[in-house]
Amino acid sequence: MQTSDELEVTQRVREIIDELKARRGYTKKRVCDLLGIGQSTLDDYLNGKSSFKLDTLIKLSQISRLSLSEIVEGTRDYDRQLQTSQEFKLKEIARKGIELSLIILVAMSTGLYYLSLYVAILTGVYYLSKKSLGSRFIALLLIASTIIELGFTFPFKLFIYSKYSGYFENNIIYSIHLVMDIVTLFCIWNYQIIAFYFYKSKSLTAKLDLFEKCYIHAPLILIYFVFCSVDLAAIVENQIRNLERLGIDESFASQFYHWQFIYDYYASIKVALICCTVFLLISNLSILKATQKHAVS
């Protein structure tokens, strides 16, 4: 005898067989021949006397052009397993994101420059994105923009930073970060168009992969908008903290000397945003992997 869950599958199979009879004109004998079973065996299945064998369900999926998951979709057992699987995947995604974030924070605490670490992690994400050209190109954009940002900031900090006043130094360094974050934001916003021209020598099939659904596009744009906002706020705060340089009376300007929240926590805020970005990139890979597995099944 079939269990309650198996009876639900049987009801779904009965509906599929009725549809085959109605739309394709199949007879009961024709269905049995295609499934490789006798009519009495099919009756036992449909009456709940015996359980469907896996190879029979596979053959039914082939002749009905439905996947196995579509055949059992909507049953209580399938819904329970799907919910459990989704919860497990979300926990795995969260765990990986937290682990990577902790690695970044630990590296920062040891004095490793956060942009250098960001490039290293993005390179890892790039190589993990082999099956998704769109995700790989996003990682490549972030790598390129971060390396360019490093190329401007490192020489400035090594050879120029200590030769000028803090006001001038901070304006330059924050402006470099702001410009690069704006460029990165623009590139992420239009990554499909840029990638299409970048990969113009690739086949049409490969190019179509660029237009697959990107689950993190909007959140990534939001994060880089926050990046730009932090850079702009740092520049504004630097102006407010140095109002006397802008011609404001020093007695009035002195009350704003202590305004240095972003100045003090700038690197920490950036690291937190980088953690969010890495979390999104890893999440996107996990979601795409799960989607591909579901499509194959």
Side-chain angles (χ1 to χ4, degrees):
M1 295 291 292
Q2 295 180 1
T3 64
S4 59
D5 290 330
E6 289 175 331
L7 285 171
E8 284 189 285
V9 176
T10 298
Q11 179 60 34
R12 174 68 173 145
V13 170
R14 185 182 287 111
E15 292 172 358
I16 293 171
I17 291 175
D18 289 342
E19 190 173 348
L20 289 173
K21 290 178 180 179
R23 292 194 176 184
R24 301 190 194 177
Y26 285 0
T27 62
K28 183 178 180 181
K29 184 178 184 306
R30 174 63 173 161
V31 172
C32 290
D33 290 341
L34 290 171
L35 294 177
I37 58 176
Q39 294 187 44
S40 60
T41 303
L42 180 61
D43 288 336
D44 289 341
Y45 287 157
L46 297 179
N47 292 329
K49 293 181 180 180
S50 58
S51 301
F52 280 98
K53 293 182 179 179
L54 180 59
D55 60 339
T56 303
L57 291 175
I58 291 174
K59 289 177 182 177
L60 179 63
S61 74
Q62 292 172 343
I63 65 174
S64 63
R65 298 190 183 93
L66 296 171
S67 66
L68 282 175
S69 61
E70 288 174 316
I71 291 176
V72 300
E73 199 171 46
T75 64
R76 286 193 299 271
D77 184 54
Y78 175 82
D79 291 341
R80 281 197 302 270
Q81 293 185 27
L82 181 62
Q83 183 178 1
T84 302
S85 175
Q86 288 175 338
E87 289 175 354
F88 175 76
K89 286 170 185 173
L90 287 173
K91 287 179 181 177
E92 281 295 296
I93 291 170
R95 184 180 63 81
K96 289 177 181 177
I98 291 170
E99 287 176 355
L100 284 168
S101 299
L102 287 174
I103 290 171
I104 295 174
L105 291 172
V106 170
M108 273 296 297
S109 66
T110 61
L112 185 61
Y113 190 44
Y114 68 91
L115 288 180
S116 303
L117 182 61
Y118 192 29
V119 171
I121 294 174
L122 289 173
T123 303
V125 172
Y126 174 81
Y127 283 106
L128 288 173
S129 308
K130 292 181 180 179
K131 294 184 179 180
S132 174
L133 196 62
S135 299
R136 201 169 202 196
F137 188 73
I138 289 176
L140 186 62
L141 280 177
L142 296 178
I143 290 170
S145 65
T146 309
I147 289 176
I148 294 171
E149 193 170 350
L150 275 168
F152 282 114
T153 55
F154 259 145
F156 181 81
K157 286 190 173 184
L158 286 174
F159 305 110
I160 304 174
Y161 199 83
S162 60
K163 297 180 180 180
Y164 295 91
S165 66
Y167 172 73
F168 176 80
E169 295 166 349
N170 292 331
N171 276 340
I172 295 296
I173 206 73
Y174 292 146
S175 297
I176 291 173
H177 289 309
L178 176 60
V179 169
M180 290 310 306
D181 285 338
I182 290 174
V183 169
T184 306
L185 176 62
F186 174 82
C187 290
I188 293 172
W189 196 300
N190 300 281
Y191 84 95
Q192 289 177 324
I193 297 173
I194 298 171
F196 193 82
Y197 288 103
F198 187 83
Y199 291 119
K200 61 182 179 181
S201 60
K202 285 189 174 289
S203 64
L204 180 60
T205 305
K207 288 179 180 178
L208 289 175
D209 184 46
L210 293 169
F211 295 92
E212 68 183 357
K213 185 175 181 180
C214 181
Y215 298 92
I216 63 165
H217 190 219
L220 202 56
I221 288 174
L222 177 61
I223 286 176
Y224 266 86
F225 180 79
V226 177
F227 265 111
C228 296
S229 300
V230 171
D231 294 328
L232 183 59
I235 294 173
V236 172
E237 185 187 72
N238 192 46
Q239 307 307 315
I240 294 174
R241 195 169 57 249
N242 295 274
L243 286 176
E244 73 280 1
R245 294 175 178 270
L246 302 177
I248 306 297
D249 185 76
E250 189 173 348
S251 60
F252 175 79
S254 61
Q255 62 185 312
F256 300 104
Y257 288 168
H258 64 284
W259 280 39
Q260 52 184 33
F261 176 82
I262 297 179
Y263 176 80
D264 290 337
Y265 297 101
Y266 184 78
S268 300
I269 296 171
K270 286 283 187 151
V271 169
L273 292 172
I274 285 174
C275 289
C276 293
T277 305
V278 172
F279 176 78
L280 283 178
L281 293 171
I282 297 298
S283 299
N284 189 52
L285 289 179
S286 301
I287 292 169
L288 288 174
K289 187 177 180 181
T291 304
Q292 289 168 358
K293 283 185 178 179
H294 180 74
V296 171
S297 65

